[in-house]
Amino acid sequence: MDKVLKQAAAALLGALAVMPAVARDPLQTPARMSARAPKAMLTAMALAGQRTVAVGERGIILVRDGGAHAPWQQAKVPVSVTLTGVAFADASNGWAVGHDGVILSTNDGGAQWSTRFDGNQANALMLADAKAAVEKAQAAGAGAGNAALADAENALGDIEAAAKFGPSRPLLGVWFRDARTGYAVGAYGQAFRTTDGGAHWHSMGAGLPNPEGLHYNAIAGGPGNVLAIAGEGGYVYRSADGGASWQRIETGYGGQLYGVIFAGRSMLAYGFGGHVFRSEDGGATWRETPAVTKKSLVGGALQGSSIVLAAQDGALLRSDDDGVSFRVMRQGDAVPTAGMVAVNGTVLLSGVGGVREAAK
């Protein structure tokens, strides 16, 4: 009998050895602490007072106090999804967004983070929006010729299908006006707003004219309650009332816009292939700025009275005339670049291999 039991136990152990490992949910798996984290792929950066905060792959968040030679410290993060955007309202309060619809927050300058939102909640909010849109179109007059109803039903079907895959849609941009009021946007028309510091989020989808479900890549705010979203299809979405209502404006370009920035009396939108568009009337009309690179532009910042844009190859473009024209202030170094920040007169770039100093 002992021999039989030993054989059975051996067979069981052998079967367990070849069984595939159960994949852990990255929304429930904390980011791994590693001495190599500063060399990871870092996608975006923000300033928290005098501190620089960088986010990236596998839930990595790094913080650094002081100058370029100060060491990076890895933050404690409750998820291991790729993070795509980060914003701070002040030196303490910050938010990061990323894959699987995650939104994180910190109140200690980036040292520790908490999950505030994820793609499961995003799916529920978007489904509610889509169902409301169908009901609105039906009330307006059903029938085979009702194009609005057909669009609404198609959008609902797309969201229902996507929800079956779980929290799979990424958020790509985040911006906060103050410690309580902020916005997050992302793929497939996701757009959310909070008025309590991120404790609760509400969908802005119903108010945005985006029946195709195009991607929103970035969001930024300007004077007063003005907001702007840069997105797919060359569209800029503008709100003058803090996101309560929106207009969709064509720039005359049909490609991706990856960022938007307010500078002086201008608003700039930039993106694929080195395209830069400028508006002097708050985003109502746009004119393309003469191109000085064909590389996609992935980041923008104000440096004093100048505007600096970063290209995906690490090149830097500078404008000293409010975005009317740009010149190359730094040639690319061929290191894939995803984001930038200007701090203490220095431009930092994030991307493959971590953060590097680009120019003073």
Side-chain angles (χ1 to χ4, degrees):
M1 180 64 71
D2 290 343
K3 183 178 180 180
V4 173
L5 290 175
K6 289 180 180 179
Q7 289 175 336
L12 177 60
L13 289 173
L16 291 174
V18 299
M19 287 180 63
V22 177
R24 294 187 295 175
D25 183 353
L27 287 174
Q28 303 298 325
T29 305
R32 181 181 177 183
M33 304 298 287
S34 171
R36 300 180 62 184
K39 296 298 183 182
M41 172 66 188
L42 299 175
T43 58
M45 292 180 289
L47 299 180
Q50 295 301 309
R51 172 176 286 181
T52 305
V53 180
V55 305
E57 63 180 340
R58 303 188 305 276
I60 290 173
I61 298 182
L62 302 173
V63 298
R64 183 169 74 180
D65 293 295
H69 300 292
W72 288 100
Q73 303 294 328
Q74 188 175 359
K76 294 182 179 180
V77 181
V79 300
S80 54
V81 298
T82 293
L83 300 172
T84 56
V86 59
F88 275 77
D90 51 46
S92 300
N93 295 287
W95 296 263
V97 299
H99 287 198
D100 290 357
V102 73
I103 302 178
L104 308 174
S105 73
T106 178
N107 60 11
D108 61 3
Q112 298 187 71
W113 296 77
S114 302
T115 302
R116 291 293 194 171
F117 187 81
D118 64 31
N120 293 307
Q121 294 160 278
N123 285 339
L125 291 176
M126 293 188 72
L127 277 171
D129 276 349
K131 290 176 180 178
V134 169
E135 292 175 358
K136 181 178 180 180
Q138 288 173 335
N146 189 341
L149 177 59
D151 289 342
E153 289 176 337
N154 288 337
L156 174 59
D158 289 343
I159 294 171
E160 288 175 333
K164 292 179 181 179
F165 290 95
S168 59
R169 297 183 172 194
L171 292 173
L172 303 172
V174 59
W175 183 80
F176 268 70
R177 186 170 296 281
D178 53 46
R180 297 188 63 81
T181 304
Y183 309 84
V185 298
Y188 304 103
Q190 297 179 97
F192 306 106
R193 174 175 55 183
T194 181
T195 56
D196 58 9
H200 302 88
W201 292 84
H202 308 279
S203 176
M204 297 188 296
L208 275 152
N210 182 10
E212 308 92 338
L214 300 176
H215 302 332
Y216 303 132
N217 295 317
I219 184 168
N225 286 318
V226 175
L227 297 168
I229 296 173
E232 187 179 7
Y235 291 113
V236 174
Y237 303 80
R238 181 185 65 170
S239 174
D241 52 16
S245 61
W246 294 85
Q247 296 173 289
R248 182 162 84 169
I249 302 157
E250 295 186 14
T251 59
Y253 168 62
Q256 292 279 0
L257 295 175
Y258 296 129
V260 60
I261 185 171
F262 291 83
R265 64 181 186 279
S266 299
M267 184 191 305
L268 298 181
Y270 54 87
F272 183 79
H275 289 282
V276 181
F277 298 88
R278 180 173 181 263
S279 174
E280 293 184 339
D281 54 11
T285 59
W286 294 83
R287 177 176 295 179
E288 186 164 10
T289 296
V292 295
T293 181
K294 292 186 178 181
K295 298 294 184 179
S296 294
L297 300 171
V298 296
L302 300 180
Q303 192 176 41
S305 60
S306 299
I307 305 165
V308 180
L309 302 179
Q312 66 182 155
D313 66 344
L316 293 179
L317 314 183
R318 185 184 186 98
S319 173
D320 297 312
D321 56 11
D322 206 35
V324 175
S325 63
F326 282 85
R327 60 180 174 83
V328 177
M329 63 177 285
R330 177 188 190 265
Q331 296 292 336
D333 54 17
V335 178
T337 300
M340 68 166 290
V341 70
V343 52
N344 296 328
T346 300
V347 176
L348 301 178
L349 299 177
S350 62
V352 171
V355 176
R356 63 199 191 277
E357 183 176 314
K360 290 186 177 296

PDB file of all heavy atoms in Angstrom, residues 171-184:
ATOM      1  N   LEU A 171      -6.011  54.089 -19.929  1.00  0.00           N
ATOM      2  CA  LEU A 171      -6.100  55.535 -19.825  1.00  0.00           C
ATOM      3  C   LEU A 171      -4.748  56.105 -20.208  1.00  0.00           C
ATOM      4  O   LEU A 171      -3.701  55.527 -19.908  1.00  0.00           O
ATOM      5  CB  LEU A 171      -6.493  55.956 -18.406  1.00  0.00           C
ATOM      6  CG  LEU A 171      -7.917  55.581 -17.988  1.00  0.00           C
ATOM      7  CD1 LEU A 171      -8.140  55.884 -16.516  1.00  0.00           C
ATOM      8  CD2 LEU A 171      -8.956  56.292 -18.846  1.00  0.00           C
ATOM      9  N   LEU A 172      -4.751  57.264 -20.870  1.00  0.00           N
ATOM     10  CA  LEU A 172      -3.530  57.788 -21.481  1.00  0.00           C
ATOM     11  C   LEU A 172      -3.122  59.171 -20.998  1.00  0.00           C
ATOM     12  O   LEU A 172      -1.962  59.558 -21.149  1.00  0.00           O
ATOM     13  CB  LEU A 172      -3.704  57.818 -23.009  1.00  0.00           C
ATOM     14  CG  LEU A 172      -4.049  56.470 -23.656  1.00  0.00           C
ATOM     15  CD1 LEU A 172      -4.400  56.661 -25.134  1.00  0.00           C
ATOM     16  CD2 LEU A 172      -2.910  55.483 -23.498  1.00  0.00           C
ATOM     17  N   GLY A 173      -4.061  59.921 -20.448  1.00  0.00           N
ATOM     18  CA  GLY A 173      -3.738  61.282 -20.023  1.00  0.00           C
ATOM     19  C   GLY A 173      -4.460  61.652 -18.745  1.00  0.00           C
ATOM     20  O   GLY A 173      -5.568  61.181 -18.484  1.00  0.00           O
ATOM     21  N   VAL A 174      -3.830  62.515 -17.942  1.00  0.00           N
ATOM     22  CA  VAL A 174      -4.434  62.971 -16.690  1.00  0.00           C
ATOM     23  C   VAL A 174      -3.993  64.405 -16.436  1.00  0.00           C
ATOM     24  O   VAL A 174      -2.864  64.794 -16.739  1.00  0.00           O
ATOM     25  CB  VAL A 174      -4.041  62.044 -15.514  1.00  0.00           C
ATOM     26  CG1 VAL A 174      -2.527  61.996 -15.326  1.00  0.00           C
ATOM     27  CG2 VAL A 174      -4.730  62.457 -14.221  1.00  0.00           C
ATOM     28  N   TRP A 175      -4.907  65.203 -15.880  1.00  0.00           N
ATOM     29  CA  TRP A 175      -4.591  66.593 -15.533  1.00  0.00           C
ATOM     30  C   TRP A 175      -5.496  67.022 -14.394  1.00  0.00           C
ATOM     31  O   TRP A 175      -6.694  66.700 -14.381  1.00  0.00           O
ATOM     32  CB  TRP A 175      -4.790  67.522 -16.728  1.00  0.00           C
ATOM     33  CG  TRP A 175      -4.406  68.941 -16.443  1.00  0.00           C
ATOM     34  CD1 TRP A 175      -3.147  69.467 -16.438  1.00  0.00           C
ATOM     35  CD2 TRP A 175      -5.285  70.011 -16.085  1.00  0.00           C
ATOM     36  NE1 TRP A 175      -3.180  70.800 -16.105  1.00  0.00           N
ATOM     37  CE2 TRP A 175      -4.479  71.162 -15.877  1.00  0.00           C
ATOM     38  CE3 TRP A 175      -6.660  70.118 -15.904  1.00  0.00           C
ATOM     39  CZ2 TRP A 175      -5.013  72.390 -15.520  1.00  0.00           C
ATOM     40  CZ3 TRP A 175      -7.202  71.344 -15.539  1.00  0.00           C
ATOM     41  CH2 TRP A 175      -6.377  72.467 -15.357  1.00  0.00           C
ATOM     42  N   PHE A 176      -4.928  67.756 -13.414  1.00  0.00           N
ATOM     43  CA  PHE A 176      -5.690  68.259 -12.274  1.00  0.00           C
ATOM     44  C   PHE A 176      -5.533  69.764 -12.170  1.00  0.00           C
ATOM     45  O   PHE A 176      -4.426  70.294 -12.256  1.00  0.00           O
ATOM     46  CB  PHE A 176      -5.220  67.600 -10.974  1.00  0.00           C
ATOM     47  CG  PHE A 176      -5.996  66.360 -10.629  1.00  0.00           C
ATOM     48  CD1 PHE A 176      -5.852  65.206 -11.386  1.00  0.00           C
ATOM     49  CD2 PHE A 176      -6.886  66.350  -9.575  1.00  0.00           C
ATOM     50  CE1 PHE A 176      -6.573  64.060 -11.087  1.00  0.00           C
ATOM     51  CE2 PHE A 176      -7.611  65.209  -9.261  1.00  0.00           C
ATOM     52  CZ  PHE A 176      -7.458  64.059 -10.020  1.00  0.00           C
ATOM     53  N   ARG A 177      -6.664  70.438 -11.987  1.00  0.00           N
ATOM     54  CA  ARG A 177      -6.628  71.884 -11.815  1.00  0.00           C
ATOM     55  C   ARG A 177      -6.222  72.244 -10.389  1.00  0.00           C
ATOM     56  O   ARG A 177      -5.535  73.237 -10.149  1.00  0.00           O
ATOM     57  CB  ARG A 177      -7.994  72.496 -12.156  1.00  0.00           C
ATOM     58  CG  ARG A 177      -7.990  74.013 -12.135  1.00  0.00           C
ATOM     59  CD  ARG A 177      -9.252  74.588 -12.707  1.00  0.00           C
ATOM     60  NE  ARG A 177      -9.438  74.289 -14.129  1.00  0.00           N
ATOM     61  CZ  ARG A 177      -8.832  74.933 -15.109  1.00  0.00           C
ATOM     62  NH1 ARG A 177      -7.959  75.895 -14.841  1.00  0.00           N
ATOM     63  NH2 ARG A 177      -9.070  74.616 -16.371  1.00  0.00           N
ATOM     64  N   ASP A 178      -6.669  71.460  -9.421  1.00  0.00           N
ATOM     65  CA  ASP A 178      -6.307  71.664  -8.025  1.00  0.00           C
ATOM     66  C   ASP A 178      -6.387  70.306  -7.345  1.00  0.00           C
ATOM     67  O   ASP A 178      -6.534  69.275  -8.014  1.00  0.00           O
ATOM     68  CB  ASP A 178      -7.208  72.707  -7.351  1.00  0.00           C
ATOM     69  CG  ASP A 178      -8.697  72.394  -7.529  1.00  0.00           C
ATOM     70  OD1 ASP A 178      -9.087  71.223  -7.334  1.00  0.00           O
ATOM     71  OD2 ASP A 178      -9.469  73.314  -7.861  1.00  0.00           O
ATOM     72  N   ALA A 179      -6.302  70.285  -6.021  1.00  0.00           N
ATOM     73  CA  ALA A 179      -6.238  69.008  -5.311  1.00  0.00           C
ATOM     74  C   ALA A 179      -7.547  68.222  -5.347  1.00  0.00           C
ATOM     75  O   ALA A 179      -7.558  67.047  -4.968  1.00  0.00           O
ATOM     76  CB  ALA A 179      -5.823  69.248  -3.860  1.00  0.00           C
ATOM     77  N   ARG A 180      -8.622  68.822  -5.824  1.00  0.00           N
ATOM     78  CA  ARG A 180      -9.908  68.125  -5.843  1.00  0.00           C
ATOM     79  C   ARG A 180     -10.465  67.898  -7.240  1.00  0.00           C
ATOM     80  O   ARG A 180     -11.167  66.913  -7.476  1.00  0.00           O
ATOM     81  CB  ARG A 180     -10.938  68.902  -5.001  1.00  0.00           C
ATOM     82  CG  ARG A 180     -10.561  69.000  -3.534  1.00  0.00           C
ATOM     83  CD  ARG A 180     -11.679  69.602  -2.711  1.00  0.00           C
ATOM     84  NE  ARG A 180     -12.897  68.786  -2.726  1.00  0.00           N
ATOM     85  CZ  ARG A 180     -13.076  67.718  -1.964  1.00  0.00           C
ATOM     86  NH1 ARG A 180     -12.130  67.313  -1.139  1.00  0.00           N
ATOM     87  NH2 ARG A 180     -14.211  67.053  -2.016  1.00  0.00           N
ATOM     88  N   THR A 181     -10.184  68.779  -8.167  1.00  0.00           N
ATOM     89  CA  THR A 181     -10.820  68.723  -9.481  1.00  0.00           C
ATOM     90  C   THR A 181      -9.824  68.239 -10.530  1.00  0.00           C
ATOM     91  O   THR A 181      -8.802  68.886 -10.775  1.00  0.00           O
ATOM     92  CB  THR A 181     -11.348  70.103  -9.884  1.00  0.00           C
ATOM     93  OG1 THR A 181     -12.236  70.579  -8.874  1.00  0.00           O
ATOM     94  CG2 THR A 181     -12.092  70.018 -11.217  1.00  0.00           C
ATOM     95  N   GLY A 182     -10.145  67.100 -11.148  1.00  0.00           N
ATOM     96  CA  GLY A 182      -9.232  66.552 -12.141  1.00  0.00           C
ATOM     97  C   GLY A 182      -9.926  65.714 -13.189  1.00  0.00           C
ATOM     98  O   GLY A 182     -11.129  65.400 -13.094  1.00  0.00           O
ATOM     99  N   TYR A 183      -9.134  65.311 -14.192  1.00  0.00           N
ATOM    100  CA  TYR A 183      -9.676  64.661 -15.385  1.00  0.00           C
ATOM    101  C   TYR A 183      -8.718  63.566 -15.854  1.00  0.00           C
ATOM    102  O   TYR A 183      -7.494  63.708 -15.756  1.00  0.00           O
ATOM    103  CB  TYR A 183      -9.860  65.684 -16.506  1.00  0.00           C
ATOM    104  CG  TYR A 183     -10.637  66.908 -16.069  1.00  0.00           C
ATOM    105  CD1 TYR A 183      -9.994  67.967 -15.437  1.00  0.00           C
ATOM    106  CD2 TYR A 183     -12.009  66.978 -16.255  1.00  0.00           C
ATOM    107  CE1 TYR A 183     -10.696  69.082 -15.014  1.00  0.00           C
ATOM    108  CE2 TYR A 183     -12.725  68.089 -15.832  1.00  0.00           C
ATOM    109  CZ  TYR A 183     -12.064  69.138 -15.209  1.00  0.00           C
ATOM    110  OH  TYR A 183     -12.771  70.234 -14.781  1.00  0.00           O
ATOM    111  N   ALA A 184      -9.289  62.489 -16.382  1.00  0.00           N
ATOM    112  CA  ALA A 184      -8.498  61.408 -16.974  1.00  0.00           C
ATOM    113  C   ALA A 184      -9.158  60.991 -18.279  1.00  0.00           C
ATOM    114  O   ALA A 184     -10.388  60.887 -18.359  1.00  0.00           O
ATOM    115  CB  ALA A 184      -8.415  60.211 -16.021  1.00  0.00           C
TER     116      ALA A 184
END
